[in-house]
């Protein structure tokens, strides 16, 4: 089975990554960084459990974004958890990480053991439906250090994930992230590539995305890069 993007400017013809028996690592980008996908990293039962629990118990809130010189509401809900003292600076306000939720600690430990990962924080994004989105961006803030590793876990509804080279707008590619999949961005990926979660107006179900990461010099905070387009 093949996945074909419906958009003419997306160059994507990919095998079905999410067959039930597929537990291998899929290498989507090699050279100029790495983008890896682990389909079915969590079982269907596991991902449903974590989605239901985290939807109810994480401290989701609406953030304000500074775009084109004015403040607009973020087109998704967010939650920030981490070790003591792990802060980030956003829209001129410093936000302190909430103490780890037990379920987040379990997922963090699973990632650390499997990939020998350094993790001290996680940013959660809650997409209430297909009208929620995230514009083109890179996780390339100085506080993440050089060549950061980002471990991105999908729970709930399936959503498109687009990525393209910074210097080649015609290089856009797309995959559909299924619940339970783990996406890993590492090496120089953030330096050379941008990524986004586009709107999908036909999607009515919610999705949770957890991006586990390591913050350096936490006292300076994390300044999340502005999105390139005004949310609508």
């Amino acid at each position: 089975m093949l996945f074909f993007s419906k958009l003419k400017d997306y160059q994507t013809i990919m095998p079905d990554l999410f067959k039930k028996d597929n537990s291998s690592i899929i290498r989507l980008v090699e050279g100029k960084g790495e983008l890896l996908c682990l389909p079915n990293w969590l079982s269907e039962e596991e991902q449903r459990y974590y989605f239901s629990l985290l939807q109810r118990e994480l401290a989701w809130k609406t953030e304000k974004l500074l775009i084109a010189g004015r403040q607009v509401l973020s087109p998704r809900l967010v939650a920030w958890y981490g070790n003591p003292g792990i802060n980030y600076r956003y829209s001129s306000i410093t936000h302190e990480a909430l103490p780890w939720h037990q379920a987040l600690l379990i997922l963090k430990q699973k990632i650390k053991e499997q990939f020998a990962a350094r993790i001290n924080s996680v940013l959660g994004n809650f997409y209430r439906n297909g009208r929620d989105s995230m514009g083109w961006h890179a996780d390339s803030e100085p506080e993440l250090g050089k060549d950061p590793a980002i471990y991105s876990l999908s729970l709930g509804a399936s959503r498109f994930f687009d990525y393209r080279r910074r210097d080649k707008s015609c290089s856009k590619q797309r995959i559909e992230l299924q619940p339970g999949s783990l996406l890993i961005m590492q090496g120089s990926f953030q330096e050379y590539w941008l990524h986004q979660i586009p709107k999908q107006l036909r999607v009515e179900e919610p999705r949770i995305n957890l991006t586990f990461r390591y913050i350096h010099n936490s006292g300076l905070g994390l300044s999340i890069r502005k999105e390139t387009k005004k949310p609508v």
Side-chain angles (χ1 to χ4, degrees):
M1 177 179 179
L2 294 176
F3 169 74
F4 294 83
S5 171
K6 295 181 180 179
L7 300 180
K8 293 181 180 180
D9 60 340
Y10 281 79
Q11 301 178 352
T12 306
I13 302 177
M14 297 186 60
D16 185 354
L17 303 182
F18 302 98
K19 296 178 180 179
K20 293 298 182 181
D21 59 350
N22 192 343
S23 58
S24 60
I25 298 178
I26 310 299
R27 298 184 179 275
L28 300 170
V29 169
E30 290 185 284
K32 303 295 184 182
E34 286 188 312
L35 179 63
L36 312 175
C37 184
L38 285 77
N40 310 309
W41 188 71
L42 292 180
S43 69
E44 178 64 20
E45 181 179 5
E46 288 174 320
Q47 80 84 20
R48 286 191 181 195
Y49 167 78
Y50 283 112
F51 176 83
S52 178
L53 179 66
L54 298 176
Q55 180 185 23
R56 295 193 314 268
E57 297 191 2
L58 293 193
W60 301 108
K61 62 180 180 179
T62 301
E63 293 279 11
K64 291 183 178 180
L65 302 175
L66 185 63
I67 297 179
R70 67 188 187 92
Q71 287 189 335
V72 298
L73 295 180
S74 169
R76 61 194 171 276
L77 304 182
V78 300
W80 177 255
Y81 289 80
N83 295 357
I86 301 298
N87 305 326
Y88 72 99
R89 186 166 179 79
Y90 192 77
S91 295
S92 302
I93 301 174
T94 299
H95 301 262
E96 185 174 348
L98 295 172
W100 286 97
H101 186 286
Q102 184 61 34
L104 296 177
L105 282 175
I106 293 172
L107 292 170
K108 179 185 78 164
Q109 189 61 30
K110 180 178 171 69
I111 294 173
K112 289 180 67 174
E113 290 179 355
Q114 185 169 351
F115 304 104
R118 296 181 71 195
I119 297 172
N120 62 8
S121 52
V122 59
L123 177 63
N125 286 291
F126 184 77
Y127 299 86
R128 292 159 289 191
N129 51 49
R131 291 177 288 280
D132 281 357
S133 62
M134 179 176 287
W136 288 109
H137 70 287
D139 300 306
S140 56
E141 295 74 31
E143 292 80 10
L144 291 172
K146 181 176 173 57
D147 299 340
I150 307 290
Y151 302 86
S152 177
L153 177 62
S154 295
L155 306 169
S158 300
R159 291 292 298 267
F160 290 147
F161 177 89
D162 300 338
Y163 55 103
R164 65 175 172 86
R165 284 280 300 272
R166 287 176 179 266
D167 58 347
K168 295 180 181 180
S169 61
C170 63
S171 66
K172 290 182 287 189
Q173 299 184 60
R174 166 171 290 177
I175 61 173
E176 185 172 9
L177 291 176
Q178 302 288 342
S181 61
L182 182 69
L183 200 67
I184 303 175
M185 298 174 280
Q186 62 185 13
S188 56
F189 182 83
Q190 306 297 339
E191 180 180 354
Y192 292 100
W193 297 80
L194 300 174
H195 56 281
Q196 71 164 355
I197 302 294
K199 292 181 182 297
Q200 292 178 253
L201 299 184
R202 294 184 179 181
V203 174
E204 296 296 335
E205 297 77 18
R207 171 185 184 256
I208 290 175
N209 176 233
L210 302 172
T211 52
F212 293 86
R213 59 190 68 199
Y214 186 87
I215 300 297
H216 299 266
N217 300 323
S218 60
L220 298 178
L222 170 63
S223 177
I224 297 178
R225 183 177 297 275
K226 297 177 186 177
E227 297 186 16
T228 57
K229 295 192 297 182
K230 174 183 174 182
V232 294

